[in-house]
Amino acid sequence: MAVLVIADHDGSAVRDTTNKTVTAALAIGGDVDVLVVGSGAKAAADSAAKITGVRKVLLAESAGLGHQLAEDVEETVLALAGGYDAILSPATMDGKNFMPRLAAKLDVAPISDIVEVVSADTFVRPIYAGNALETIQSSDAKKVITVRPTGFAAAADGGSAPVETVSGVEAGKASFVGEELVKSDRPELGAAKIIVSGGRALGSSEEFHAVMEPLADKLGAAIGASRAAVDAGYAPNDYQVGQTGKVVAPALYIAIGISGAIQHLAGMKDSKIIVAINKDPDAPIFQVADYGIVGDYKTIVPELMSALG
Amino acid sequence: MKVLVPVKRVIDYNVKARVKADQTGVDLANVKMSMNPFDEIAVEEAVRLKEGKEHHAAGTAAEIVVVSIGVTQAQETIRTALAMGADRGILIQSDADLEPLAVAKLLKAVVDEEKPDLVLMGKQSIDGDNNAVGQMLAALLDWPQATFASKIEIGGGKATVTREVDGGLQTLSATLPAVVTVDLRLNTPRYASLPNIMKAKKKEIAVKAVADYGVDVAPRLKVVKVTAPATRSAGIKVADAAELVSKLKTAGAL
């Protein structure tokens, strides 16, 4: 039995999500290989080789593969698929983009967003925005699976697997035009240990940034937002935590002026400790919060800043 | 240009799903059902392509065909799309809850018949949360795909699509025909007006059976059980920020 993990990486190193997907792969069992698809991504392959439990790393490079276009990744992986019983990717936006495409080409039912490996053919995944957990057993000979990173611990570094070169395929179906990536010195939402998240109560984009940024910087935290705050234009979409945004599970999640709609809770209820600051004592967020303060964020956040020293 | 928009009838966005006591699934008896919210956004964009709203040239879409696969009542979902401005509908009747692979194969058969230039659809349904059918349909057709669209421009036989990706936005260009799946920020769907709801009643809905398409829809996945997630219990209220910080320090969170 052999399992292939398609790495999530930034060209110079694999992201934490890759280590977590390796943990899921090891739970399925057999030899675990990691595939790095990219352009000038040798350093990322070298970092994947350090993950404990990895048999070997495959590096597929081509000039156009840096953008991880679905058609290109799918064709590159398809050429290697014959040698594997299961193919896994983290359920990032890229993974969600190319994995179902790969599954269809292999005539396999994709298994999306697993949070637990029960056995080599049985998995648990959230449905209905996390309001239910489905345990499913696959009868396909080959499994194509995306892994929700918050469901698994990261496999530690400590290995030294060999890196082999394989061919990268450019399908030539869609072409990259450009990108606008948000530059920030703060940790990424998906990887942050602490997240401070703001809601519609903040009232404006200026207020959102003025309140959230100093607090985030004091705590070394990432900034999140509710869908309501994003819809109102107070925060950019990539801040969005919830069913339709990112699913996070930090050690500490501080919700400020967030009422706690079902769709938001779906994205953060697996956080280790949840703090809620809201002036409405009946806000649903208090039903999931370990610590709640009823009051106006305008007075509580400055007090919190000074209490943190 | 002809646009095909697949739509799904799902539990209403505002209803909290509850797991059945026998762990066989989610209880949908007497629950309000609606069009999947992402599909509504796809229908809205198709109608704007026809009307020439926003940055679209008028008549970019000449015909909008809506297709749904599901129970008889999914006709109501199709009717909603017709009231928003789609031209005609197709219902592929199925009482079974088909898997994404089967749905993608049926949609491919519909595409082979209808020959649209663009398939515009929601990025995921809010029941199964698979986020798979659009990508799988593109693969089966061997078409390019542009998923999670927050902006779509059609021109010169191409779709230029801005996509929501981790860390920001990516723009790509795909030669038509293509499959585009839509994300939340693309548009805000309209409410159908009463005259349009009346007009939609006269629009055609062709009712088909899964067997009409001759594709293999056998399930590949067995649902072992469906359970409710562990619930969090409410914690404590603290009086002020100082007490909060001291509690968090004790808990090792700071």
Side-chain angles (χ1 to χ4, degrees), chain B residues 132-149:
Chain B
V133 172
Q135 297 88 315
M136 297 181 89
L137 175 61
L140 296 176
L141 291 163
D142 216 19
W143 287 6
Q145 69 188 51
T147 51
F148 325 141

Side-chain angles (χ1 to χ4, degrees), chain A residues 268-292:
Chain A
M268 46 63 83
K269 65 184 168 51
D270 293 328
S271 304
K272 195 149 175 276
I273 293 179
I274 296 173
V275 171
I277 299 169
N278 201 300
K279 66 179 174 190
D280 174 8
D282 298 323
I285 190 81
F286 287 121
Q287 289 164 21
V288 301
D290 299 283
Y291 303 107

Side-chain angles (χ1 to χ4, degrees), chain B residues 14-15 23 48 52 57 64 86 90 104 109 115 142-143 147 160 162-163 173-174 186 191 201 203 220 229:
Chain B
N14 292 307
V15 176
Q23 301 196 336
R48 290 183 188 189
I64 303 166
I90 302 166
K115 299 187 171 48
D142 216 19
W143 287 6
T147 51
T160 304
T162 302
R163 309 175 51 234
S173 163
L186 181 63
Y191 290 101
K201 290 186 176 165
K203 290 180 179 173
R220 309 290 186 86

Side-chain angles (χ1 to χ4, degrees), chain A residues 111-224:
Chain A
I111 303 168
S112 305
D113 235 3
I114 65 164
V115 293
E116 189 187 330
V117 175
V118 177
S119 70
D121 66 0
T122 305
F123 311 92
V124 180
R125 55 181 300 268
I127 54 175
Y128 290 87
N131 285 307
L133 292 169
E134 172 183 67
T135 304
I136 46 171
Q137 185 173 23
S138 167
S139 60
D140 283 315
K142 207 183 284 293
K143 322 279 189 275
V144 174
I145 300 168
T146 59
V147 174
R148 182 175 285 196
T150 55
F152 298 87
D157 282 352
S160 57
V163 177
E164 287 175 18
T165 304
V166 294
S167 38
V169 186
E170 291 184 45
K173 283 221 149 44
S175 50
F176 174 80
V177 176
E179 63 190 357
E180 274 175 63
L181 298 181
V182 179
K183 293 265 173 283
S184 170
D185 295 332
R186 296 192 190 91
E188 282 183 53
L189 257 184
K193 294 199 166 47
I194 303 178
I195 293 173
V196 293
S197 206
R200 194 165 43 188
L202 283 113
S204 71
S205 172
E206 294 71 26
E207 180 76 354
F208 188 94
H209 293 282
V211 172
M212 303 303 293
E213 286 173 1
L215 183 60
D217 292 341
K218 182 146 257 180
L219 290 164
I223 302 181

Side-chain angles (χ1 to χ4, degrees), chain B residues 152-168:
Chain B
I152 301 171
E153 289 172 274
I154 305 288
K158 285 184 173 185
T160 304
V161 178
T162 302
R163 309 175 51 234
E164 307 271 7
V165 294
D166 286 322

Side-chain angles (χ1 to χ4, degrees), chain A residues 282-304:
Chain A
D282 298 323
I285 190 81
F286 287 121
Q287 289 164 21
V288 301
D290 299 283
Y291 303 107
I293 304 184
V294 178
D296 193 338
Y297 76 86
K298 284 184 181 152
T299 52
I300 292 167
V301 172
E303 283 170 18
L304 184 57

